[in-house]
Amino acid sequence: MKKILLLASFMYASICFAQEVLSTYTMNYFPGEKFEIQVDNSDQKNPKIYFGTAPAETIVKKIDILIPLNEVDKFKSDLLKCKEVYLNWKKTAIENKVSELDKNIDVKFNKFDVAFLFGSKWNLSFSRALTPRFKIVNGKYIFILSNETEISSSSNRYMTTKGLYIVLNDDQEFDNIINILDVDKINSLFNSKKKTDELFK
């Protein structure tokens, strides 16, 4: 089992350099920062999206949610549901002058593998649950998607991180991500890369 985990971590460290940048997005909650959304190289058998997020700790340089391509539409659908709840609850909070709230949103995301860069080493953690929340902080209405429990490396249980955050505070931020995660656009990127590779065989 340990050998399998070590192999999985090694494979991730190897392929992370062979990804294509699909796009970047920003979050107003983290001013001045850009987060990459990447896809596997076109020759991968089970391609994934590498969804860059905000690390919960500064010691972690990068942290990605690994979304299999065949689960991207479900992830988008869950985000759309969260957006609808976010807008409804924001409206209700404004109308009723609610100034403090921290409440989970009843949308169940799939579990995903998570990769995090600790120092110079990538670490992989399998099947992590994500929880969506609506929160009012200092008069701002925010949506948070974060891990439920501490994330530990599958190959070294002492290598841990508090986790990741996606923090959105308006409908445009939801839409930006949803528009990026277009499976047709992703497939076009794959096909374009394949055609280029075939030219130089």
Side-chain angles (χ1 to χ4, degrees):
M1 183 64 179
K2 187 175 181 181
K3 288 182 178 179
I4 294 173
L5 295 176
L6 286 170
L7 178 60
S9 296
F10 174 76
M11 289 175 64
Y12 179 77
S14 299
I15 67 175
C16 71
F17 298 107
Q19 295 160 10
E20 297 285 328
V21 176
L22 178 65
S23 189
T24 62
Y25 73 101
T26 60
M27 295 184 276
N28 291 330
Y29 196 80
F30 304 100
E33 295 190 46
K34 287 186 178 181
F35 302 90
E36 288 187 340
I37 298 177
Q38 299 177 297
V39 296
D40 269 327
N41 205 331
S42 56
D43 60 359
Q44 293 296 319
K45 291 183 179 179
N46 300 301
K48 297 180 181 66
I49 298 293
Y50 297 78
F51 194 106
T53 65
E57 302 166 284
T58 56
I59 195 169
V60 174
K61 296 179 180 178
K62 291 185 67 177
I63 186 164
D64 295 345
I65 302 171
L66 278 56
I67 308 173
L69 187 57
N70 61 4
E71 295 181 29
V72 169
D73 281 336
K74 166 70 164 57
F75 184 82
K76 284 174 57 179
S77 176
D78 290 341
L79 271 183
L80 279 167
K81 292 175 186 175
C82 288
K83 175 189 172 184
E84 183 178 352
V85 172
Y86 168 83
L87 293 175
N88 286 337
W89 286 3
K90 178 180 178 180
K91 182 174 181 290
T92 300
I94 292 172
E95 290 175 348
N96 292 275
K97 297 181 172 58
V98 178
S99 59
E100 292 184 12
L101 186 66
D102 188 354
K103 183 176 176 63
N104 285 358
I105 297 174
D106 188 21
V107 173
K108 189 172 181 61
F109 284 77
N110 290 353
K111 292 183 177 181
F112 298 107
D113 296 345
V114 171
F116 60 99
L117 182 59
F118 196 101
S120 60
K121 181 182 178 183
W122 279 101
N123 295 270
L124 190 62
S125 184
F126 297 120
S127 193
R128 309 306 305 190
L130 302 175
T131 300
R133 292 156 50 206
F134 176 84
K135 193 169 184 177
I136 303 175
V137 182
N138 298 325
K140 294 182 179 181
Y141 308 92
I142 60 177
F143 164 79
I144 302 171
L145 185 64
S146 60
N147 52 294
E148 291 183 358
T149 57
E150 183 179 69
I151 294 174
S152 59
S153 171
S154 297
S155 60
N156 181 353
R157 63 190 178 91
Y158 298 107
M159 194 73 71
T160 64
T161 176
K162 292 179 181 177
L164 59 89
Y165 292 106
I166 297 173
V167 183
L168 311 177
N169 62 13
D170 61 40
D171 56 339
Q172 186 61 54
E173 290 193 326
F174 278 96
D175 291 341
N176 287 343
I177 293 174
I178 290 165
N179 290 335
I180 291 170
L181 296 178
D182 185 310
V183 174
D184 289 336
K185 291 179 183 177
I186 296 167
N187 285 329
S188 293
L189 180 62
F190 279 146
N191 293 334
S192 175
K193 181 67 168 58
K194 282 181 180 179
K195 288 178 181 178
T196 301
D197 291 342
E198 287 172 359
L199 290 174
F200 298 94
K201 283 185 177 179

PDB file of all heavy atoms in Angstrom, residues 73-104:
ATOM      1  N   ASP A  73     -18.854  18.744 -15.163  1.00  0.00           N
ATOM      2  CA  ASP A  73     -20.228  19.248 -15.270  1.00  0.00           C
ATOM      3  C   ASP A  73     -20.959  19.184 -13.924  1.00  0.00           C
ATOM      4  O   ASP A  73     -21.742  20.081 -13.593  1.00  0.00           O
ATOM      5  CB  ASP A  73     -21.006  18.464 -16.327  1.00  0.00           C
ATOM      6  CG  ASP A  73     -20.672  18.921 -17.750  1.00  0.00           C
ATOM      7  OD1 ASP A  73     -20.223  20.072 -17.910  1.00  0.00           O
ATOM      8  OD2 ASP A  73     -20.861  18.126 -18.688  1.00  0.00           O
ATOM      9  N   LYS A  74     -20.706  18.122 -13.164  1.00  0.00           N
ATOM     10  CA  LYS A  74     -21.322  18.016 -11.821  1.00  0.00           C
ATOM     11  C   LYS A  74     -20.799  19.120 -10.909  1.00  0.00           C
ATOM     12  O   LYS A  74     -21.559  19.744 -10.152  1.00  0.00           O
ATOM     13  CB  LYS A  74     -21.013  16.629 -11.241  1.00  0.00           C
ATOM     14  CG  LYS A  74     -21.281  16.455  -9.739  1.00  0.00           C
ATOM     15  CD  LYS A  74     -22.749  16.460  -9.412  1.00  0.00           C
ATOM     16  CE  LYS A  74     -23.051  15.907  -8.016  1.00  0.00           C
ATOM     17  NZ  LYS A  74     -22.387  16.560  -6.901  1.00  0.00           N
ATOM     18  N   PHE A  75     -19.498  19.394 -10.981  1.00  0.00           N
ATOM     19  CA  PHE A  75     -18.904  20.459 -10.171  1.00  0.00           C
ATOM     20  C   PHE A  75     -19.532  21.802 -10.552  1.00  0.00           C
ATOM     21  O   PHE A  75     -19.874  22.612  -9.675  1.00  0.00           O
ATOM     22  CB  PHE A  75     -17.395  20.484 -10.392  1.00  0.00           C
ATOM     23  CG  PHE A  75     -16.660  21.475  -9.530  1.00  0.00           C
ATOM     24  CD1 PHE A  75     -16.325  21.160  -8.226  1.00  0.00           C
ATOM     25  CD2 PHE A  75     -16.296  22.719 -10.033  1.00  0.00           C
ATOM     26  CE1 PHE A  75     -15.648  22.076  -7.423  1.00  0.00           C
ATOM     27  CE2 PHE A  75     -15.619  23.628  -9.241  1.00  0.00           C
ATOM     28  CZ  PHE A  75     -15.294  23.316  -7.936  1.00  0.00           C
ATOM     29  N   LYS A  76     -19.691  22.060 -11.840  1.00  0.00           N
ATOM     30  CA  LYS A  76     -20.318  23.303 -12.312  1.00  0.00           C
ATOM     31  C   LYS A  76     -21.766  23.406 -11.830  1.00  0.00           C
ATOM     32  O   LYS A  76     -22.214  24.463 -11.386  1.00  0.00           O
ATOM     33  CB  LYS A  76     -20.289  23.372 -13.836  1.00  0.00           C
ATOM     34  CG  LYS A  76     -18.949  23.717 -14.428  1.00  0.00           C
ATOM     35  CD  LYS A  76     -18.982  23.629 -15.942  1.00  0.00           C
ATOM     36  CE  LYS A  76     -20.042  24.518 -16.557  1.00  0.00           C
ATOM     37  NZ  LYS A  76     -20.039  24.424 -18.035  1.00  0.00           N
ATOM     38  N   SER A  77     -22.486  22.291 -11.931  1.00  0.00           N
ATOM     39  CA  SER A  77     -23.881  22.276 -11.494  1.00  0.00           C
ATOM     40  C   SER A  77     -23.989  22.588 -10.005  1.00  0.00           C
ATOM     41  O   SER A  77     -24.878  23.345  -9.578  1.00  0.00           O
ATOM     42  CB  SER A  77     -24.494  20.905 -11.791  1.00  0.00           C
ATOM     43  OG  SER A  77     -25.812  20.814 -11.295  1.00  0.00           O
ATOM     44  N   ASP A  78     -23.084  22.030  -9.211  1.00  0.00           N
ATOM     45  CA  ASP A  78     -23.082  22.307  -7.772  1.00  0.00           C
ATOM     46  C   ASP A  78     -22.773  23.773  -7.493  1.00  0.00           C
ATOM     47  O   ASP A  78     -23.370  24.386  -6.597  1.00  0.00           O
ATOM     48  CB  ASP A  78     -22.071  21.404  -7.063  1.00  0.00           C
ATOM     49  CG  ASP A  78     -22.510  19.949  -7.041  1.00  0.00           C
ATOM     50  OD1 ASP A  78     -23.716  19.692  -7.230  1.00  0.00           O
ATOM     51  OD2 ASP A  78     -21.645  19.065  -6.861  1.00  0.00           O
ATOM     52  N   LEU A  79     -21.841  24.344  -8.257  1.00  0.00           N
ATOM     53  CA  LEU A  79     -21.535  25.767  -8.100  1.00  0.00           C
ATOM     54  C   LEU A  79     -22.746  26.629  -8.438  1.00  0.00           C
ATOM     55  O   LEU A  79     -23.016  27.640  -7.780  1.00  0.00           O
ATOM     56  CB  LEU A  79     -20.356  26.171  -8.977  1.00  0.00           C
ATOM     57  CG  LEU A  79     -18.949  26.050  -8.405  1.00  0.00           C
ATOM     58  CD1 LEU A  79     -17.926  26.569  -9.411  1.00  0.00           C
ATOM     59  CD2 LEU A  79     -18.809  26.809  -7.080  1.00  0.00           C
ATOM     60  N   LEU A  80     -23.472  26.252  -9.500  1.00  0.00           N
ATOM     61  CA  LEU A  80     -24.672  27.005  -9.887  1.00  0.00           C
ATOM     62  C   LEU A  80     -25.729  26.947  -8.786  1.00  0.00           C
ATOM     63  O   LEU A  80     -26.394  27.952  -8.499  1.00  0.00           O
ATOM     64  CB  LEU A  80     -25.237  26.447 -11.192  1.00  0.00           C
ATOM     65  CG  LEU A  80     -24.550  26.920 -12.475  1.00  0.00           C
ATOM     66  CD1 LEU A  80     -24.983  26.069 -13.665  1.00  0.00           C
ATOM     67  CD2 LEU A  80     -24.857  28.394 -12.737  1.00  0.00           C
ATOM     68  N   LYS A  81     -25.890  25.789  -8.167  1.00  0.00           N
ATOM     69  CA  LYS A  81     -26.835  25.660  -7.052  1.00  0.00           C
ATOM     70  C   LYS A  81     -26.415  26.557  -5.894  1.00  0.00           C
ATOM     71  O   LYS A  81     -27.250  27.218  -5.261  1.00  0.00           O
ATOM     72  CB  LYS A  81     -26.913  24.203  -6.588  1.00  0.00           C
ATOM     73  CG  LYS A  81     -27.548  23.263  -7.592  1.00  0.00           C
ATOM     74  CD  LYS A  81     -27.465  21.817  -7.103  1.00  0.00           C
ATOM     75  CE  LYS A  81     -27.955  20.838  -8.148  1.00  0.00           C
ATOM     76  NZ  LYS A  81     -27.769  19.426  -7.720  1.00  0.00           N
ATOM     77  N   CYS A  82     -25.106  26.569  -5.609  1.00  0.00           N
ATOM     78  CA  CYS A  82     -24.593  27.410  -4.529  1.00  0.00           C
ATOM     79  C   CYS A  82     -24.790  28.891  -4.846  1.00  0.00           C
ATOM     80  O   CYS A  82     -25.109  29.692  -3.954  1.00  0.00           O
ATOM     81  CB  CYS A  82     -23.109  27.118  -4.290  1.00  0.00           C
ATOM     82  SG  CYS A  82     -22.784  25.529  -3.507  1.00  0.00           S
ATOM     83  N   LYS A  83     -24.607  29.247  -6.110  1.00  0.00           N
ATOM     84  CA  LYS A  83     -24.811  30.637  -6.523  1.00  0.00           C
ATOM     85  C   LYS A  83     -26.258  31.070  -6.270  1.00  0.00           C
ATOM     86  O   LYS A  83     -26.512  32.165  -5.753  1.00  0.00           O
ATOM     87  CB  LYS A  83     -24.473  30.806  -8.005  1.00  0.00           C
ATOM     88  CG  LYS A  83     -24.781  32.192  -8.546  1.00  0.00           C
ATOM     89  CD  LYS A  83     -24.636  32.253 -10.063  1.00  0.00           C
ATOM     90  CE  LYS A  83     -25.129  33.591 -10.605  1.00  0.00           C
ATOM     91  NZ  LYS A  83     -25.090  33.633 -12.086  1.00  0.00           N
ATOM     92  N   GLU A  84     -27.197  30.201  -6.608  1.00  0.00           N
ATOM     93  CA  GLU A  84     -28.613  30.512  -6.404  1.00  0.00           C
ATOM     94  C   GLU A  84     -28.915  30.714  -4.914  1.00  0.00           C
ATOM     95  O   GLU A  84     -29.601  31.668  -4.528  1.00  0.00           O
ATOM     96  CB  GLU A  84     -29.478  29.386  -6.977  1.00  0.00           C
ATOM     97  CG  GLU A  84     -30.968  29.660  -6.864  1.00  0.00           C
ATOM     98  CD  GLU A  84     -31.809  28.558  -7.492  1.00  0.00           C
ATOM     99  OE1 GLU A  84     -31.222  27.671  -8.142  1.00  0.00           O
ATOM    100  OE2 GLU A  84     -33.039  28.584  -7.318  1.00  0.00           O
ATOM    101  N   VAL A  85     -28.386  29.802  -4.082  1.00  0.00           N
ATOM    102  CA  VAL A  85     -28.587  29.928  -2.630  1.00  0.00           C
ATOM    103  C   VAL A  85     -27.924  31.217  -2.127  1.00  0.00           C
ATOM    104  O   VAL A  85     -28.510  31.960  -1.325  1.00  0.00           O
ATOM    105  CB  VAL A  85     -28.019  28.703  -1.885  1.00  0.00           C
ATOM    106  CG1 VAL A  85     -28.056  28.925  -0.376  1.00  0.00           C
ATOM    107  CG2 VAL A  85     -28.786  27.451  -2.259  1.00  0.00           C
ATOM    108  N   TYR A  86     -26.698  31.473  -2.581  1.00  0.00           N
ATOM    109  CA  TYR A  86     -25.959  32.662  -2.166  1.00  0.00           C
ATOM    110  C   TYR A  86     -26.761  33.930  -2.456  1.00  0.00           C
ATOM    111  O   TYR A  86     -26.913  34.801  -1.577  1.00  0.00           O
ATOM    112  CB  TYR A  86     -24.615  32.715  -2.895  1.00  0.00           C
ATOM    113  CG  TYR A  86     -23.886  34.038  -2.775  1.00  0.00           C
ATOM    114  CD1 TYR A  86     -23.103  34.325  -1.668  1.00  0.00           C
ATOM    115  CD2 TYR A  86     -24.003  35.003  -3.780  1.00  0.00           C
ATOM    116  CE1 TYR A  86     -22.444  35.547  -1.562  1.00  0.00           C
ATOM    117  CE2 TYR A  86     -23.348  36.225  -3.671  1.00  0.00           C
ATOM    118  CZ  TYR A  86     -22.573  36.494  -2.569  1.00  0.00           C
ATOM    119  OH  TYR A  86     -21.940  37.704  -2.463  1.00  0.00           O
ATOM    120  N   LEU A  87     -27.287  34.062  -3.667  1.00  0.00           N
ATOM    121  CA  LEU A  87     -28.035  35.271  -4.045  1.00  0.00           C
ATOM    122  C   LEU A  87     -29.327  35.402  -3.236  1.00  0.00           C
ATOM    123  O   LEU A  87     -29.696  36.509  -2.814  1.00  0.00           O
ATOM    124  CB  LEU A  87     -28.346  35.251  -5.541  1.00  0.00           C
ATOM    125  CG  LEU A  87     -27.130  35.383  -6.473  1.00  0.00           C
ATOM    126  CD1 LEU A  87     -27.545  35.225  -7.933  1.00  0.00           C
ATOM    127  CD2 LEU A  87     -26.430  36.725  -6.260  1.00  0.00           C
ATOM    128  N   ASN A  88     -30.007  34.269  -3.012  1.00  0.00           N
ATOM    129  CA  ASN A  88     -31.249  34.301  -2.220  1.00  0.00           C
ATOM    130  C   ASN A  88     -30.975  34.688  -0.773  1.00  0.00           C
ATOM    131  O   ASN A  88     -31.696  35.527  -0.181  1.00  0.00           O
ATOM    132  CB  ASN A  88     -31.947  32.944  -2.278  1.00  0.00           C
ATOM    133  CG  ASN A  88     -32.606  32.679  -3.617  1.00  0.00           C
ATOM    134  OD1 ASN A  88     -32.925  33.613  -4.352  1.00  0.00           O
ATOM    135  ND2 ASN A  88     -32.806  31.411  -3.958  1.00  0.00           N
ATOM    136  N   TRP A  89     -29.947  34.085  -0.179  1.00  0.00           N
ATOM    137  CA  TRP A  89     -29.640  34.378   1.223  1.00  0.00           C
ATOM    138  C   TRP A  89     -29.096  35.797   1.382  1.00  0.00           C
ATOM    139  O   TRP A  89     -29.364  36.454   2.388  1.00  0.00           O
ATOM    140  CB  TRP A  89     -28.640  33.355   1.762  1.00  0.00           C
ATOM    141  CG  TRP A  89     -29.273  32.010   2.008  1.00  0.00           C
ATOM    142  CD1 TRP A  89     -30.564  31.644   1.741  1.00  0.00           C
ATOM    143  CD2 TRP A  89     -28.643  30.855   2.566  1.00  0.00           C
ATOM    144  NE1 TRP A  89     -30.773  30.333   2.094  1.00  0.00           N
ATOM    145  CE2 TRP A  89     -29.621  29.827   2.608  1.00  0.00           C
ATOM    146  CE3 TRP A  89     -27.365  30.581   3.032  1.00  0.00           C
ATOM    147  CZ2 TRP A  89     -29.345  28.557   3.101  1.00  0.00           C
ATOM    148  CZ3 TRP A  89     -27.080  29.312   3.524  1.00  0.00           C
ATOM    149  CH2 TRP A  89     -28.058  28.307   3.556  1.00  0.00           C
ATOM    150  N   LYS A  90     -28.343  36.262   0.416  1.00  0.00           N
ATOM    151  CA  LYS A  90     -27.840  37.638   0.462  1.00  0.00           C
ATOM    152  C   LYS A  90     -29.014  38.619   0.447  1.00  0.00           C
ATOM    153  O   LYS A  90     -29.051  39.578   1.243  1.00  0.00           O
ATOM    154  CB  LYS A  90     -26.915  37.902  -0.723  1.00  0.00           C
ATOM    155  CG  LYS A  90     -26.382  39.330  -0.790  1.00  0.00           C
ATOM    156  CD  LYS A  90     -25.469  39.512  -2.002  1.00  0.00           C
ATOM    157  CE  LYS A  90     -24.983  40.960  -2.090  1.00  0.00           C
ATOM    158  NZ  LYS A  90     -24.081  41.155  -3.274  1.00  0.00           N
ATOM    159  N   LYS A  91     -29.964  38.382  -0.437  1.00  0.00           N
ATOM    160  CA  LYS A  91     -31.154  39.239  -0.528  1.00  0.00           C
ATOM    161  C   LYS A  91     -31.929  39.228   0.792  1.00  0.00           C
ATOM    162  O   LYS A  91     -32.345  40.279   1.307  1.00  0.00           O
ATOM    163  CB  LYS A  91     -32.038  38.749  -1.678  1.00  0.00           C
ATOM    164  CG  LYS A  91     -33.296  39.583  -1.929  1.00  0.00           C
ATOM    165  CD  LYS A  91     -34.004  39.069  -3.178  1.00  0.00           C
ATOM    166  CE  LYS A  91     -35.242  39.891  -3.476  1.00  0.00           C
ATOM    167  NZ  LYS A  91     -36.327  39.669  -2.487  1.00  0.00           N
ATOM    168  N   THR A  92     -32.116  38.025   1.345  1.00  0.00           N
ATOM    169  CA  THR A  92     -32.846  37.900   2.618  1.00  0.00           C
ATOM    170  C   THR A  92     -32.110  38.615   3.746  1.00  0.00           C
ATOM    171  O   THR A  92     -32.732  39.292   4.585  1.00  0.00           O
ATOM    172  CB  THR A  92     -33.022  36.413   2.980  1.00  0.00           C
ATOM    173  OG1 THR A  92     -33.769  35.763   1.949  1.00  0.00           O
ATOM    174  CG2 THR A  92     -33.750  36.253   4.306  1.00  0.00           C
ATOM    175  N   ALA A  93     -30.787  38.482   3.781  1.00  0.00           N
ATOM    176  CA  ALA A  93     -29.988  39.119   4.832  1.00  0.00           C
ATOM    177  C   ALA A  93     -30.084  40.644   4.746  1.00  0.00           C
ATOM    178  O   ALA A  93     -30.194  41.328   5.770  1.00  0.00           O
ATOM    179  CB  ALA A  93     -28.532  38.680   4.721  1.00  0.00           C
ATOM    180  N   ILE A  94     -30.037  41.174   3.532  1.00  0.00           N
ATOM    181  CA  ILE A  94     -30.121  42.628   3.349  1.00  0.00           C
ATOM    182  C   ILE A  94     -31.498  43.138   3.776  1.00  0.00           C
ATOM    183  O   ILE A  94     -31.612  44.142   4.497  1.00  0.00           O
ATOM    184  CB  ILE A  94     -29.828  43.003   1.880  1.00  0.00           C
ATOM    185  CG1 ILE A  94     -28.354  42.729   1.550  1.00  0.00           C
ATOM    186  CG2 ILE A  94     -30.156  44.471   1.616  1.00  0.00           C
ATOM    187  CD1 ILE A  94     -28.010  42.875   0.081  1.00  0.00           C
ATOM    188  N   GLU A  95     -32.541  42.428   3.329  1.00  0.00           N
ATOM    189  CA  GLU A  95     -33.911  42.856   3.636  1.00  0.00           C
ATOM    190  C   GLU A  95     -34.205  42.793   5.134  1.00  0.00           C
ATOM    191  O   GLU A  95     -34.985  43.607   5.659  1.00  0.00           O
ATOM    192  CB  GLU A  95     -34.910  41.980   2.882  1.00  0.00           C
ATOM    193  CG  GLU A  95     -34.913  42.223   1.380  1.00  0.00           C
ATOM    194  CD  GLU A  95     -35.819  41.251   0.641  1.00  0.00           C
ATOM    195  OE1 GLU A  95     -36.266  40.254   1.257  1.00  0.00           O
ATOM    196  OE2 GLU A  95     -36.074  41.486  -0.562  1.00  0.00           O
ATOM    197  N   ASN A  96     -33.561  41.850   5.833  1.00  0.00           N
ATOM    198  CA  ASN A  96     -33.849  41.669   7.261  1.00  0.00           C
ATOM    199  C   ASN A  96     -32.732  42.199   8.162  1.00  0.00           C
ATOM    200  O   ASN A  96     -32.736  41.943   9.365  1.00  0.00           O
ATOM    201  CB  ASN A  96     -34.092  40.189   7.543  1.00  0.00           C
ATOM    202  CG  ASN A  96     -35.369  39.675   6.916  1.00  0.00           C
ATOM    203  OD1 ASN A  96     -36.449  39.793   7.483  1.00  0.00           O
ATOM    204  ND2 ASN A  96     -35.252  39.105   5.720  1.00  0.00           N
ATOM    205  N   LYS A  97     -31.795  42.931   7.547  1.00  0.00           N
ATOM    206  CA  LYS A  97     -30.696  43.558   8.297  1.00  0.00           C
ATOM    207  C   LYS A  97     -29.934  42.553   9.169  1.00  0.00           C
ATOM    208  O   LYS A  97     -29.600  42.827  10.328  1.00  0.00           O
ATOM    209  CB  LYS A  97     -31.226  44.721   9.140  1.00  0.00           C
ATOM    210  CG  LYS A  97     -31.827  45.863   8.331  1.00  0.00           C
ATOM    211  CD  LYS A  97     -32.301  46.984   9.228  1.00  0.00           C
ATOM    212  CE  LYS A  97     -32.730  48.200   8.417  1.00  0.00           C
ATOM    213  NZ  LYS A  97     -33.812  47.920   7.452  1.00  0.00           N
ATOM    214  N   VAL A  98     -29.659  41.381   8.600  1.00  0.00           N
ATOM    215  CA  VAL A  98     -28.864  40.369   9.299  1.00  0.00           C
ATOM    216  C   VAL A  98     -27.390  40.710   9.101  1.00  0.00           C
ATOM    217  O   VAL A  98     -26.920  40.816   7.968  1.00  0.00           O
ATOM    218  CB  VAL A  98     -29.153  38.955   8.760  1.00  0.00           C
ATOM    219  CG1 VAL A  98     -28.276  37.927   9.468  1.00  0.00           C
ATOM    220  CG2 VAL A  98     -30.633  38.615   8.937  1.00  0.00           C
ATOM    221  N   SER A  99     -26.661  40.894  10.184  1.00  0.00           N
ATOM    222  CA  SER A  99     -25.265  41.336  10.087  1.00  0.00           C
ATOM    223  C   SER A  99     -24.251  40.231  10.379  1.00  0.00           C
ATOM    224  O   SER A  99     -23.067  40.384  10.088  1.00  0.00           O
ATOM    225  CB  SER A  99     -25.019  42.500  11.047  1.00  0.00           C
ATOM    226  OG  SER A  99     -25.301  42.115  12.382  1.00  0.00           O
ATOM    227  N   GLU A 100     -24.707  39.101  10.952  1.00  0.00           N
ATOM    228  CA  GLU A 100     -23.797  37.995  11.254  1.00  0.00           C
ATOM    229  C   GLU A 100     -24.465  36.670  10.901  1.00  0.00           C
ATOM    230  O   GLU A 100     -25.607  36.423  11.275  1.00  0.00           O
ATOM    231  CB  GLU A 100     -23.415  37.983  12.740  1.00  0.00           C
ATOM    232  CG  GLU A 100     -22.541  39.153  13.167  1.00  0.00           C
ATOM    233  CD  GLU A 100     -22.107  39.039  14.614  1.00  0.00           C
ATOM    234  OE1 GLU A 100     -22.290  37.946  15.197  1.00  0.00           O
ATOM    235  OE2 GLU A 100     -21.599  40.018  15.163  1.00  0.00           O
ATOM    236  N   LEU A 101     -23.721  35.848  10.178  1.00  0.00           N
ATOM    237  CA  LEU A 101     -24.244  34.536   9.816  1.00  0.00           C
ATOM    238  C   LEU A 101     -23.104  33.659   9.308  1.00  0.00           C
ATOM    239  O   LEU A 101     -22.210  34.140   8.612  1.00  0.00           O
ATOM    240  CB  LEU A 101     -25.319  34.655   8.723  1.00  0.00           C
ATOM    241  CG  LEU A 101     -26.068  33.370   8.346  1.00  0.00           C
ATOM    242  CD1 LEU A 101     -26.907  32.873   9.514  1.00  0.00           C
ATOM    243  CD2 LEU A 101     -26.936  33.585   7.114  1.00  0.00           C
ATOM    244  N   ASP A 102     -23.121  32.399   9.660  1.00  0.00           N
ATOM    245  CA  ASP A 102     -22.175  31.416   9.131  1.00  0.00           C
ATOM    246  C   ASP A 102     -22.946  30.114   9.033  1.00  0.00           C
ATOM    247  O   ASP A 102     -23.170  29.427  10.035  1.00  0.00           O
ATOM    248  CB  ASP A 102     -20.967  31.265  10.053  1.00  0.00           C
ATOM    249  CG  ASP A 102     -19.877  30.394   9.442  1.00  0.00           C
ATOM    250  OD1 ASP A 102     -20.106  29.819   8.366  1.00  0.00           O
ATOM    251  OD2 ASP A 102     -18.784  30.296  10.039  1.00  0.00           O
ATOM    252  N   LYS A 103     -23.377  29.776   7.811  1.00  0.00           N
ATOM    253  CA  LYS A 103     -24.302  28.654   7.634  1.00  0.00           C
ATOM    254  C   LYS A 103     -23.888  27.800   6.441  1.00  0.00           C
ATOM    255  O   LYS A 103     -23.580  28.315   5.365  1.00  0.00           O
ATOM    256  CB  LYS A 103     -25.720  29.204   7.405  1.00  0.00           C
ATOM    257  CG  LYS A 103     -26.808  28.159   7.272  1.00  0.00           C
ATOM    258  CD  LYS A 103     -28.165  28.822   7.149  1.00  0.00           C
ATOM    259  CE  LYS A 103     -29.271  27.809   6.909  1.00  0.00           C
ATOM    260  NZ  LYS A 103     -29.418  26.866   8.044  1.00  0.00           N
ATOM    261  N   ASN A 104     -23.865  26.480   6.654  1.00  0.00           N
ATOM    262  CA  ASN A 104     -23.564  25.569   5.558  1.00  0.00           C
ATOM    263  C   ASN A 104     -24.671  25.595   4.510  1.00  0.00           C
ATOM    264  O   ASN A 104     -25.852  25.768   4.839  1.00  0.00           O
ATOM    265  CB  ASN A 104     -23.402  24.137   6.074  1.00  0.00           C
ATOM    266  CG  ASN A 104     -22.089  23.908   6.789  1.00  0.00           C
ATOM    267  OD1 ASN A 104     -21.250  24.801   6.890  1.00  0.00           O
ATOM    268  ND2 ASN A 104     -21.895  22.714   7.304  1.00  0.00           N
TER     269      ASN A 104
END
